Amino acid sequence: MKRRIMSSLCAAALVFSMAACGSSNAPAADGADTNQAASENTAANDTAASDDAAKEGGELILYTWEGMFPQEVLDGFTEKTGIEIVYSNFDTDETMLEKLSQAEGGTYDLVIADDYIIEQAVQAGLVQEIDKDTVTNFGNINPLYQGQFYDPEDKYTVPYGAGIPLIVYDPEQVGFEITGYEDLWNPELEDKVALTANYRVINGITLLSMGQSMNTEDVAVIEEAGKKLLDLAPNVRMIQDDNTQNALLNGEAAVAFLYTSQVTQVMAENPDLKVVYPKEGLGFGIMAGFIPSQAPNAKAANEFLNYLLEPEVSAQCFDFLGYYCTTKAADDLVNPDLVVPDSVTKGEIIQNVSQEADEAFNKNWTEFKDACD
């Protein structure tokens, strides 16, 4: 998602804090006899020994992008569990998959990566199932982000943030309510729309406006989408990936279709703008955590995933990260702007398609950009 769906987003930093966990032994009740006190002292010592044993968790080798977690968060998990975290990072999903393949599913305990590359890792036998006896918070996940193509039975992954490109508009410059992708074609928006520059995403929202799948491989349907895209060209003010949100902020555009990071930024700077969750359904990407097939410390990885699914931790993490919250149990705690409304029940992730279909998508895109010039 960082490199694909959220292509203009710099490497995200995730900050959340964990309150120090501790326990104290209650004093013996007044009037307890010596044996009672001795018994309680023994129990207390046993508890302390048990706590110490619980904190002898070895190490967790975490493999993800640089800057996903600050050191104090990793230290907080270590304080809670005794598990030392060794942070290792990659620059692209493809680099991760190559390293994991070379290690034959070993070396790393937990990987956080994008949806499309996880599918490849699962197909290559490089991923093991989540231990749901340990990940007891699994039920906290929002069902909207489950059952996706890369993990249809939800056996291998825990979602860790969603990137959802959305329409944002200035109600002072638009004389009607925008409710979906179809409204972008309204003649009142001539020369007022700013778009991001991902050819599959723009083809995809056009298909959704037609009641079709973003991932259709029917070339005839894709060609129809191409014709409809040409009809959109008069409304397009600009097509660009970087800082597209600035067109809304400076009044150059009245409507924009933006990446998640851009939506977050523009709403922070001008809360009077309106965000649209299109009635035709969402297109989104997901980051998720998975445990490699030969992870040296799979137990620690499962514990860390469970930790991330705690509502308070999730809320703190998504508030800072700016990704849409994938932990349903945290919806009431997180910034409301990062929660998809309950009325939104359908969404689709862009997937790989056949070469013939991809060529048709590219043809649409080339002709559309030429028409917008």
Side-chain angles (χ1 to χ4, degrees):
M1 181 163 52
K2 272 193 177 68
R3 303 295 189 261
R4 305 284 178 177
I5 301 299
M6 307 279 294
S7 61
S8 68
L9 180 62
C10 296
L14 168 64
V15 176
F16 61 89
S17 61
M18 189 70 188
C21 295
S23 61
S24 60
N25 297 318
D30 291 340
D33 62 22
T34 303
N35 289 336
Q36 176 76 14
S39 175
E40 290 180 356
N41 286 336
T42 299
N45 291 335
D46 288 345
T47 299
S50 177
D51 288 345
D52 289 341
K55 291 187 177 183
E56 294 174 2
E59 67 179 20
L60 165 68
I61 301 177
L62 175 63
Y63 195 34
T64 187
W65 295 281
E66 183 179 3
M68 288 288 283
F69 298 94
Q71 191 59 47
E72 56 266 29
V73 169
L74 306 182
D75 291 343
F77 180 71
T78 299
E79 181 179 353
K80 180 178 182 181
T81 64
I83 300 169
E84 298 289 340
I85 296 180
V86 178
Y87 195 106
S88 182
N89 61 270
F90 54 80
D91 54 354
T92 68
D93 285 12
E94 287 73 18
T95 298
M96 177 279 295
L97 186 60
E98 180 181 2
K99 293 284 189 181
L100 190 59
S101 297
Q102 291 173 352
E104 298 181 340
T107 302
Y108 309 107
D109 297 309
L110 179 64
V111 178
I112 297 173
D114 287 329
D115 43 44
Y116 76 98
I117 209 75
I118 295 174
E119 180 186 37
Q120 297 178 40
V122 171
Q123 291 174 347
L126 297 172
V127 183
Q128 64 176 272
E129 293 188 18
I130 299 295
D131 177 8
K132 294 180 182 177
D133 288 335
T134 299
V135 187
T136 55
N137 291 324
F138 199 86
N140 289 347
I141 299 171
N142 190 327
L144 178 65
Y145 305 109
Q146 293 186 288
Q148 299 298 329
F149 73 98
Y150 61 91
D151 189 8
E153 297 181 9
D154 299 315
K155 296 193 298 184
Y156 301 106
T157 60
V158 168
Y160 189 64
I164 308 175
L166 293 171
I167 299 168
V168 183
Y169 72 100
D170 184 347
E172 292 187 359
Q173 295 191 54
V174 178
F176 63 96
E177 182 182 4
I178 296 177
T179 60
Y181 305 117
E182 182 65 33
D183 290 322
L184 297 178
W185 275 260
N186 190 310
E188 293 184 31
L189 298 181
E190 182 176 357
D191 200 33
K192 292 183 178 180
V193 178
L195 298 175
T196 51
N198 186 302
Y199 81 105
R200 283 295 307 280
V201 172
I202 302 304
N203 271 285
I205 66 173
T206 304
L207 286 162
L208 288 175
S209 76
M210 298 163 55
Q212 300 287 339
S213 168
M214 300 177 82
N215 297 301
T216 184
E217 296 188 342
D218 187 328
V219 173
V221 173
I222 296 172
E223 289 174 348
E224 286 299 313
K227 295 176 183 177
K228 185 168 184 177
L229 265 176
L230 293 178
D231 292 337
L232 178 62
N235 287 4
V236 177
R237 177 73 176 177
M238 66 177 66
I239 300 175
Q240 67 179 50
D241 261 352
D242 294 335
N243 299 314
T244 317
Q245 74 281 359
N246 288 341
L248 268 182
L249 294 172
N250 63 27
E252 185 175 0
V255 183
F257 182 71
L258 303 174
Y259 296 120
T260 296
S261 60
Q262 297 170 341
V263 174
T264 302
Q265 181 178 342
V266 78
M267 294 307 297
E269 296 192 33
N270 185 356
D272 292 330
L273 298 174
K274 289 191 175 182
V275 177
V276 179
Y277 294 93
K279 60 188 177 183
E280 299 94 339
L282 301 178
F284 57 83
I286 295 176
M287 286 194 302
F290 70 87
I291 302 172
S293 55
Q294 302 300 318
N297 196 346
K299 182 178 183 297
N302 279 290
E303 289 184 27
F304 190 70
L305 289 173
N306 196 53
Y307 170 78
L308 294 179
L309 289 172
E310 294 177 9
E312 295 80 7
V313 172
S314 287
Q316 292 171 20
C317 114
F318 292 119
D319 275 339
F320 185 90
L321 183 61
Y323 282 77
Y324 282 86
C325 179
T326 51
T327 306
K328 184 67 175 175
D331 281 358
D332 292 337
L333 304 175
V334 77
N335 179 346
D337 290 339
L338 300 177
V339 178
V340 173
D342 289 337
S343 58
V344 179
T345 59
K346 58 182 178 178
E348 190 173 10
I349 297 177
I350 289 179
Q351 304 172 36
N352 294 325
V353 293
S354 69
Q355 181 177 347
E356 183 181 18
D358 194 57
E359 289 173 354
F361 283 128
N362 270 297
K363 182 175 182 291
N364 286 356
W365 183 243
T366 299
E367 293 177 352
F368 174 57
K369 288 194 299 180
D370 288 343
C372 292
D373 291 339

